[in-house]
Amino acid sequence: MESINTIVLGLLVFLTTCLASLVDAEVHYHNFVIQSTPVKRLCRTKNIITVNGQFPGPTIEARNGDTLVIKAVNQAQYPITLHWHGIHQRRTAWADGPDHITQCPIQPGGSYTYRFTIIDQEGTLWWHAHASWLRATVYGALIIYPRQGSSYPFTKPHREIPILLGEWWYANPVDILNNALMAGAAPNVSDAYTINGQPGDLYNCSSQDTVIVPVKQGETNLIRLVGSTMNQELFFGIAKHKLTVVAIDSSYTKPYTTDVVVVTPGQTLDLLVTADQAPSRYYIAARAYASAPSSVPFDNTTTTAVLEYQSPNLPCRAASKDCSGGGAASPKPQLPSLPAYSDTSAVTRFTSGLRSPQKLNPITVPKSVDHNLFFTVGLGLRPCQRGRRCGGPNGQNFTASMNNVSFVLPTNYSILQANYQNINGVFSSNFPPNPPLKFDYTGKVPRKYWTPKRGTEALRLKFGSRVQLVLQDTSIFAAENHPIHLHGHNFFVVAEGFGNFNARKDSRKFNLVDPPQRNTVGVPVGGWAVIRFTADNPGVWLMHCHFDNHLFWGLAMVFVTDNGVGELETIEPPPNDLPRCS
């Protein structure tokens, strides 16, 4: 009888908690007007595509369990979609956003309303354009707070500071992409990096607008760091201050303290920073982690902001109006000691220190798997059109692929629409679960393996399938650290290593106890990463490299997860205002 009473009491507590969550949940409405806006950076004014005239775009704030309704009105000259990066979109894949994957683009003059509920997620995420290179300027933070009555699994910070790392070009990013694709060449590297849209003190015409982060001595603040760069991974640090990682990609971690972090395009980090130094000004800085060979160009500049202690004894800032009263100017802030551009060992030290907190959230990493997949990821070359000479090596086109398939976007329908309506000829379900060509992936690869086939291919998964996926870098043309992002899911990074993955030997290294959870993993240069996830989200989910030049070269594939049983395991019908392909 006692055990029955205990069960009944437990059920009552569970139902009461669920009811309270429903009562406290809110619906947040936003209007996003996508438009051309003049912005001055690096001494020049140019028109960029923005949301509501802001660069970066508006910060969205919500709680776990809330619903977001965001009407996107396209007043710009380009077709566009918006992606809510890291949101699982349970049953609402129509709101995920990648163009021609889950929706057709919103045409100029059109609109589309994204509707979705945040389910069991909290932390730092972000949103961005997912068509052409528009996300170079169309992006913003998406912050999810704990439910009402819940709290962070760490001491509440005094203040929270979103820091979005970006890239800036003098030229129009859309033109840069189109010119590169037409020429078959690599796109131009950026002219600057930015922190919250500003390049910082080390660039021309930028000191006046350098971002200032005010702090008080002794307080601990939370930095919500977003890797919103286009094509470059970055080292990040604050002079003389430690960074304690408490979450990655909206998943809590065991606290991990370090001097420097690395963030790839697509990743987010929640960092506690204690103002425990002498009152002064300290540079916040980011610069490139360049994993490709030294012959591959990259932007080697450094973006800065200033961590400024609030103290009446500080001298005025030389670059600001604070010196108008004749006060003495403060010396230039000290830069943090960041690793060398190609320091892969620093990246490995950082990623190997990340762990999930077992006590806070019971680990649900699959202990056994239904699908054991192996994907090669990397670059390649394909012949130029007859009579032309393209801008890649040996006059060829740059390309990229997974398992020797270079992904091609459909044109007449999105893949989700074609799957939902059983429309043939839009995509195939023939994506290879293992490399069709086996070779020394990280060694000297024969030229006959450099040219992938092109196709729009997906891999179909049964609802509830447990998946293990080996992501293997290749040295075709150039080995590189590839940030691979999976839409619609978090996954566990159970192991990483260098060289060719060896199942017999390397499976002994798997961490099935407290591996970190992410939605974007940096596959080590000349190495591999093993992830596990459960396909419990019906829909069509893009997996791709978050270097946008690699994405448009074809480094992508699609998972199609079938419906399960019952309404809660079935994708919702498409919205009435779903854009049509032109």
Side-chain angles (χ1 to χ4, degrees):
M1 180 65 70
E2 183 178 354
S3 61
I4 294 176
N5 289 337
T6 302
I7 293 173
V8 171
L9 181 60
L11 286 172
L12 288 173
V13 171
F14 173 76
L15 291 172
T16 301
T17 303
C18 291
L19 182 60
S21 299
L22 290 173
V23 170
D24 292 335
E26 297 181 12
V27 180
H28 303 268
Y29 295 89
H30 298 271
N31 285 321
F32 274 22
V33 178
I34 299 146
Q35 61 192 61
S36 180
T37 303
V39 170
K40 185 176 182 180
R41 296 291 186 276
L42 305 181
C43 315
R44 303 181 189 177
T45 299
K46 70 170 187 176
N47 284 332
I48 66 171
I49 305 303
T50 66
V51 168
N52 298 347
Q54 301 177 39
F55 174 66
T59 294
I60 294 176
E61 296 179 295
R63 291 187 179 274
N64 184 3
D66 288 356
T67 295
L68 290 171
V69 180
I70 303 160
K71 183 176 182 180
V73 179
N74 188 5
Q75 295 182 359
Q77 66 268 42
Y78 304 109
I80 195 170
T81 67
L82 299 178
H83 170 52
W84 318 98
H85 186 110
I87 294 292
H88 293 162
Q89 299 292 354
R90 301 268 176 201
R91 303 183 61 229
T92 54
W94 306 103
D96 193 42
D99 70 303
H100 291 92
I101 304 297
T102 61
Q103 68 166 96
C104 297
I106 308 166
Q107 297 298 320
S111 67
Y112 178 48
T113 300
Y114 295 88
R115 299 175 178 86
F116 55 90
T117 298
I118 300 165
I119 300 174
D120 295 332
Q121 291 186 263
E122 54 190 68
T124 304
L125 292 173
W126 63 304
W127 60 267
H128 60 81
H130 212 301
S132 185
W133 263 22
L134 293 170
R135 82 169 180 88
T137 56
V138 179
Y139 63 86
L142 199 171
I143 299 171
I144 308 170
Y145 300 105
R147 296 180 188 273
Q148 290 283 2
S150 299
S151 60
Y152 299 131
F154 47 82
T155 302
K156 184 178 180 181
H158 285 81
R159 59 186 100 184
E160 301 182 10
I161 305 136
I163 290 184
L164 293 89
L165 304 177
E167 287 178 87
W168 181 266
W169 283 263
Y170 284 122
N172 180 347
V174 175
D175 293 340
I176 291 173
L177 172 65
N178 291 339
N179 291 338
L181 292 177
M182 284 191 295
N188 294 340
V189 299
S190 57
D191 297 297
Y193 301 115
T194 59
I195 292 176
N196 291 352
Q198 296 292 342
D201 284 356
L202 306 185
Y203 297 90
N204 291 335
C205 308
S206 301
S207 292
Q208 186 69 32
D209 298 309
T210 295
V211 171
I212 304 297
V213 177
V215 297
K216 292 182 179 179
Q217 191 171 35
E219 70 182 16
T220 297
N221 298 313
L222 178 67
I223 289 180
R224 296 182 178 273
L225 185 68
V226 178
S228 38
T229 49
M230 292 286 288
N231 298 311
Q232 190 61 61
E233 297 161 311
L234 297 177
F235 291 115
F236 174 90
I238 303 176
K240 294 191 175 182
H241 289 74
K242 297 287 186 181
L243 309 173
T244 299
V245 184
V246 291
I248 53 175
D249 294 358
S250 78
S251 295
Y252 292 120
T253 65
K254 294 178 180 177
Y256 170 49
T257 301
T258 178
D259 294 319
V260 63
V261 301
V262 63
V263 59
T264 78
Q267 292 181 339
T268 65
L269 298 167
D270 287 6
L271 309 171
L272 292 177
V273 180
T274 299
D276 54 5
Q277 299 299 305
S280 187
R281 299 184 180 98
Y282 301 87
Y283 269 137
I284 302 168
R287 73 177 185 192
Y289 164 51
S291 61
S294 58
S295 59
V296 177
F298 67 95
D299 182 349
N300 63 359
T301 62
T302 301
T303 182
T304 59
V306 176
L307 187 78
E308 181 175 272
Y309 282 64
Q310 295 176 319
S311 170
N313 299 322
L314 279 183
C316 64
R317 292 195 298 273
S320 75
K321 297 178 182 178
D322 296 347
C323 291
S324 59
S330 63
K332 198 171 186 179
Q334 180 180 339
L335 282 166
S337 179
L338 297 177
Y341 297 120
S342 60
D343 193 347
T344 295
S345 62
V347 176
T348 303
R349 283 195 302 272
F350 172 68
T351 58
S352 63
L354 300 173
R355 294 286 186 272
S356 290
Q358 295 165 275
K359 294 182 179 179
L360 293 173
N361 297 304
I363 294 300
T364 56
V365 57
K367 299 300 190 292
S368 60
V369 297
D370 303 303
H371 297 277
N372 202 337
L373 309 177
F374 191 114
F375 292 178
T376 55
V377 298
L379 306 183
L381 298 173
R382 59 184 176 87
C384 197
Q385 293 177 347
R386 182 173 296 179
R388 288 188 59 208
R389 181 174 178 83
C390 291
N394 303 320
Q396 298 190 75
N397 281 292
F398 274 111
T399 189
S401 66
M402 287 187 177
N403 272 359
N404 204 46
V405 179
S406 185
F407 189 78
V408 178
L409 288 173
T411 55
N412 295 328
Y413 299 92
S414 72
I415 295 178
L416 180 60
Q417 184 181 6
N419 184 68
Y420 188 86
Q421 297 180 356
N422 295 314
I423 300 172
N424 294 324
V426 177
F427 73 99
S428 80
S429 298
N430 298 325
F431 186 86
N434 292 284
L437 302 173
K438 294 181 172 58
F439 51 92
D440 180 2
Y441 305 117
T442 55
K444 188 174 182 179
V445 182
R447 286 296 180 99
K448 64 181 179 180
Y449 296 142
W450 283 37
T451 304
K453 72 172 187 175
R454 289 163 59 81
T456 308
E457 299 186 8
L459 197 154
R460 192 172 292 275
L461 300 172
K462 184 179 178 180
F463 185 93
S465 297
R466 297 159 299 180
V467 179
Q468 175 175 293
L469 171 55
V470 177
L471 294 163
Q472 172 71 61
D473 187 29
T474 69
S475 56
I476 296 176
F477 181 69
E480 193 167 354
N481 188 304
H482 294 279
I484 302 298
H485 171 49
L486 175 60
H487 288 229
H489 302 77
N490 279 5
F491 50 74
F492 295 95
V493 184
V494 300
E496 296 179 355
F498 292 95
N500 296 329
F501 177 76
N502 183 308
R504 181 182 57 82
K505 180 183 67 174
D506 293 327
S507 60
R508 301 171 189 167
K509 305 174 185 177
F510 287 2
N511 175 9
L512 303 180
V513 178
D514 59 352
Q517 292 188 71
R518 306 216 75 144
N519 61 53
T520 306
V521 61
V523 178
V525 53
W528 48 268
V530 181
I531 67 173
R532 288 190 179 188
F533 66 95
T534 301
D536 57 358
N537 196 6
V540 170
W541 308 111
L542 182 66
M543 173 176 264
H544 66 97
C545 182
H546 225 283
F547 290 152
D548 270 36
N549 56 336
H550 293 182
L551 169 60
F552 285 93
W553 287 341
L555 213 170
M557 60 81 62
V558 165
F559 287 108
V560 177
T561 302
D562 294 329
N563 288 329
V565 178
E567 182 181 1
L568 297 181
E569 296 180 0
T570 301
I571 189 171
E572 294 180 356
N576 293 330
D577 63 341
L578 185 71
R580 296 181 179 181
C581 289
S582 59

